[in-house]
Amino acid sequence: MSEAAAESTRERTVAVDIRGVTKTFGAGADAFTALDDVSVAIRENEFFTLLGPSGCGKTTLLRMIAGFEHATRGTVLLYGDDISDQPPYQRPVNTVFQSYALFPHLTVAENVAFGLEMLGREKAETKQAVDHVLKLVRMEAMRNRRTEQISGGQQQRVALARALAPRPKVLLLDEPLSALDLKLRKEMQGELKRLQHETGITFIFVTHDQEEALTMSDRVAVMNEGRVLQVGSPRDIYDRPENRFVASFIGEMNFLVVKVDAVEDDRVKVCFGDGATAFADCPAEFEPAGEATLAVRPEYVRIEAPGAPGVLPATVTERVYFGTDTHYHLELGDGSALVARQQNARGREDAHPVGDRVGVRWSAESAQILRD
């Protein structure tokens, strides 16, 4: 994320402000840099997701906000106050971990009340808070059951209720849905977004699951090798990735090696090896020269009749049925591989069999030239 973009974000109300944070574990030849000069500003009342592969540094960054790790360099600010050296118990932040760490011998209500009792809250205040959060997570009817007697999804709700009860300014969630089955995980994605909206608390969510990030987040930070590569809305991240890693990590993407021919009306004209041409969106401050990588999503590739004006000639090499849609694997005239995704409909079951000669096209706005 650029300094200009970070400063623009800070002009709004910022809950968590990470400035130039580096975290190195070990020393000498054994030193490992988990975070490398990370700067990101997370807004108040935002569902913000740290997304990336295992080992990219997202959990380390979350633990730094919680106070379980401390920066080698840089600062962590909470509503403008430097909390870099504060211990976890002094921070108005709570964490929901992958393992819910509930007490099996206590009831649901007792688990939720435990943290409040440790904070010295009055009994009446504690009861009111427990009643409120159990209603929020829709677990009022289970309040007197022991947590060993409820399902995994219900345990996850109890862990959320316990973290929400003290009304933290920021709630940190470290892959809390990873232990749930697919159907329950999808249900809980909607529940988490609802809870964030109803409580107004800033949620910072860690996941390696791109679907979770796209469906739940107001903004996403894509991380790799200890760096934040791009921050933006789910649509920005998906439709306008800033580099090849982000483009390949989020969804499916076709990458085509092309030669840049010219820039025409804010579009880049490119040539393929067989002389065919196409257009892509022109990046800012683009210098047209030499080879480049053109990126286009499979769903933006349209299959048409061969020989039509403006289409690229292609041959269907494989067809994969996915129920809602079919993926067509294609070979362009210069041998490049391309995938087109077409939504299925009644009466189109036999469209484009393997070996069929077709034409393909995409709009210039749906393709882009990437900086690697």
Side-chain angles (χ1 to χ4, degrees):
M1 186 181 186
S2 68
E3 280 298 317
E7 287 302 322
S8 175
T9 301
R10 290 185 186 108
E11 292 175 3
R12 311 175 196 183
T13 302
V14 172
V16 178
D17 200 354
I18 310 295
R19 297 189 177 185
V21 163
T22 294
K23 176 62 177 178
T24 302
F25 294 96
D30 296 325
F32 168 70
T33 299
L35 294 172
D36 186 4
D37 193 25
V38 170
S39 293
V40 62
I42 301 168
R43 301 166 189 157
E44 184 178 45
N45 192 19
E46 180 173 42
F47 198 120
F48 190 90
T49 296
L50 301 172
L51 173 68
S54 297
C56 71
K58 56 188 185 295
T59 295
T60 300
L61 184 56
L62 197 79
R63 289 174 59 82
M64 198 164 292
I65 298 168
F68 302 134
E69 302 286 354
H70 295 281
T72 306
R73 291 190 302 277
T75 55
V76 179
L77 292 92
L78 184 69
Y79 287 93
D81 295 327
D82 188 348
I83 61 168
S84 304
D85 297 322
Q86 277 187 6
Y89 64 86
Q90 289 185 356
R91 303 185 184 201
V93 171
N94 262 354
T95 306
V96 178
F97 299 99
Q98 292 182 41
S99 59
Y100 308 137
L102 300 174
F103 299 110
H105 62 286
L106 298 182
T107 67
V108 165
E110 288 167 345
N111 266 277
V112 175
F114 181 81
L116 297 171
E117 291 166 353
M118 292 298 99
L119 292 171
R121 302 286 175 87
E122 297 289 338
K123 284 186 178 181
E125 181 186 357
T126 296
K127 183 181 183 306
Q128 184 178 22
V130 170
D131 291 345
H132 174 67
V133 293
L134 287 181
K135 184 176 181 181
L136 268 180
V137 301
R138 299 170 180 169
M139 287 290 291
E140 310 103 300
M142 301 278 187
R143 64 180 300 127
N144 294 321
R145 289 197 188 181
R146 293 197 305 274
T147 54
E148 64 182 2
Q149 298 173 320
I150 61 178
S151 70
Q154 291 165 339
Q155 289 179 13
Q156 202 258 9
R157 291 169 186 262
V158 176
L160 279 169
R162 184 179 59 185
L164 290 168
R167 293 287 301 176
K169 290 185 176 180
V170 176
L171 184 65
L172 310 176
L173 302 109
D174 187 8
E175 303 202 51
L177 307 183
S178 60
L180 305 179
D181 62 56
L182 179 61
K183 183 178 180 181
L184 187 53
R185 191 159 68 242
K186 287 183 178 295
E187 289 177 5
M188 287 308 302
Q189 289 172 11
E191 284 294 295
L192 280 176
K193 186 60 183 172
R194 177 187 65 82
L195 284 169
Q196 191 275 326
H197 178 75
E198 290 186 9
T199 62
I201 295 171
T202 300
F203 278 27
I204 304 177
F205 185 85
V206 161
T207 185
H208 62 271
D209 187 317
Q210 55 183 267
E211 181 181 313
E212 284 185 354
L214 293 175
T215 57
M216 297 165 63
S217 312
D218 296 314
R219 287 192 304 149
V220 179
V222 182
M223 298 184 66
N224 190 42
E225 296 181 345
R227 288 182 170 270
V228 173
L229 301 184
Q230 185 174 349
V231 178
S233 70
R235 184 172 293 277
D236 290 339
I237 296 290
Y238 187 83
D239 280 341
R240 285 291 174 264
E242 293 179 359
N243 55 66
R244 183 165 183 142
F245 178 85
V246 175
S248 62
F249 191 77
I250 306 293
E252 297 178 70
M253 183 71 83
N254 291 299
F255 298 103
L256 301 168
V257 177
V258 295
K259 287 187 177 179
V260 176
D261 183 49
V263 176
E264 301 179 3
D265 300 324
D266 295 326
R267 302 183 304 170
V268 180
K269 183 181 180 181
V270 299
C271 294
F272 292 85
D274 61 346
T277 61
F279 289 90
D281 193 40
C282 185
E285 302 175 2
F286 179 69
E287 295 289 339
E291 283 193 347
T293 299
L294 181 146
V296 59
R297 300 280 183 193
E299 62 268 28
Y300 298 148
V301 178
R302 301 196 301 273
I303 301 178
E304 300 182 3
V311 302
L312 300 173
T315 303
V316 178
T317 60
E318 187 179 359
R319 188 174 64 173
V320 183
Y321 177 77
F322 281 92
T324 56
D325 50 42
T326 296
H327 290 200
Y328 292 94
H329 294 252
L330 307 157
E331 184 178 293
L332 299 182
D334 66 351
S336 299
L338 181 74
V339 177
R341 189 164 74 203
Q342 183 171 284
Q343 188 170 2
N344 291 324
R346 296 281 186 179
R348 288 169 50 181
E349 291 85 352
D350 297 324
H352 315 307
V354 172
D356 199 17
R357 300 295 298 274
V358 298
V360 297
R361 75 164 80 232
W362 53 80
S363 66
E365 294 76 19
S366 63
Q368 66 184 113
I369 301 297
L370 285 181
R371 297 182 176 90
D372 290 338

